[in-house]
């Protein structure tokens, strides 16, 4: 019951928060800061990136570091493609789908092979990275911008992992899985809003 005190407000917040416009650009004041702010400026990015950490933390072992690294690596590749102006189909749909899929994977504590899980998160990272790359300010350094969004993403993955570690230490592993479930529900809400 104690975990419900934390889960219920999080669920309400996730379901009632207005969807942030994640891809509106961030100006050109500082490339690193603009890149750092991009994953934090959209609920879709934030939820998916924390969900990678939740899922990796629940899986443990090599997945604990390999899945976040796979996401960030593919995200940097996607970012480079976006910065180069190379089109990629279904980016927004892929981002929303990643919120649902990664949230469900954490909620169900889905245990594929480390390689299969890495492929799933890498595909998600590719979509998120492309969206980031298309928003690089015109007069900003692409490298500094990419470093900013990679660093913010790593911190979000770390937050998800820390949540699973804390939940396990408090014998509330179900709380980490519940957070994944709430993420998946939020993804469905995002999808519904996108198609309204």
């Amino acid at each position: 019951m104690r975990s419900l005190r934390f889960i219920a407000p999080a669920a309400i917040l996730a379901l009632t928060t207005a969807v942030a416009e994640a891809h509106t650009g961030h100006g050109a004041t500082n490339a690193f800061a603009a890149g750092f702010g991009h994953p934090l400026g959209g609920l879709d990015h934030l939820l998916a990136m924390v969900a990678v950490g939740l899922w990796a933390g629940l899986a443990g072992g090599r997945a604990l570091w390999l899945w976040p690294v796979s996401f960030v690596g593919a995200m940097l590749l996607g970012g480079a493609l976006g910065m180069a102006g190379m089109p990629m189909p279904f980016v927004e749909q892929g981002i929303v789908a990643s919120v649902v899929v990664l949230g469900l994977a954490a909620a169900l504590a889905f245990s594929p092979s480390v390689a299969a899980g890495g492929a799933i998160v890498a595909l998600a990272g590719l979509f998120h990275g492309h969206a980031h790359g298309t928003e690089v300010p015109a007069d900003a350094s692409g490298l500094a911008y990419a470093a900013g969004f990679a660093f913010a993403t790593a911190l979000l993955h770390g937050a998800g992992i820390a949540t699973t570690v804390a939940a396990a230490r408090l014998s509330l592993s179900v709380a980490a899985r519940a957070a994944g479930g709430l993420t998946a529900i939020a993804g469905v809400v995002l999808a519904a809003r996108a198609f309204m």
Side-chain angles (χ1 to χ4, degrees):
M1 278 314 257
R2 286 185 358 202
S3 63
L4 287 178
R5 290 186 308 183
F6 301 106
I7 294 170
I12 292 167
L13 181 63
L15 294 174
T16 60
T17 302
V19 180
E21 290 295 328
H23 313 295
T24 58
H26 296 278
T29 56
N30 180 295
F32 181 86
F36 186 87
H38 200 263
L40 305 175
L43 188 59
D44 49 1
H45 294 309
L46 198 142
L47 289 170
M49 292 169 186
V50 171
V52 169
L54 289 170
W55 189 28
L58 289 164
R62 290 188 315 135
L64 190 62
W65 64 269
L66 185 62
W67 292 354
V69 168
S70 296
F71 186 98
V72 172
M75 185 184 61
L76 288 169
L77 174 61
L81 294 173
M83 287 179 209
M86 295 186 71
M88 190 170 141
F90 307 113
V91 170
E92 291 301 323
Q93 295 89 340
I95 289 170
V96 173
S98 75
V99 176
V100 176
V101 169
L102 294 168
L104 277 175
L108 300 173
F110 179 54
S111 298
S113 68
V114 173
I120 292 167
V121 298
L123 180 60
L126 193 64
F127 286 121
H128 286 267
H130 193 277
H132 296 328
T134 59
E135 293 297 322
V136 65
D139 59 349
S141 161
L143 288 176
Y145 182 81
F149 69 67
F151 185 60
T153 298
L155 291 176
L156 291 169
H157 291 335
I161 292 168
T163 299
T164 60
V165 169
R169 286 190 179 160
L170 296 171
S171 299
L172 294 172
S173 292
V174 70
R177 292 181 67 176
L182 293 173
T183 299
I185 291 168
V188 170
V189 171
L190 291 172
R193 288 183 178 178
F195 295 108
M196 290 182 140

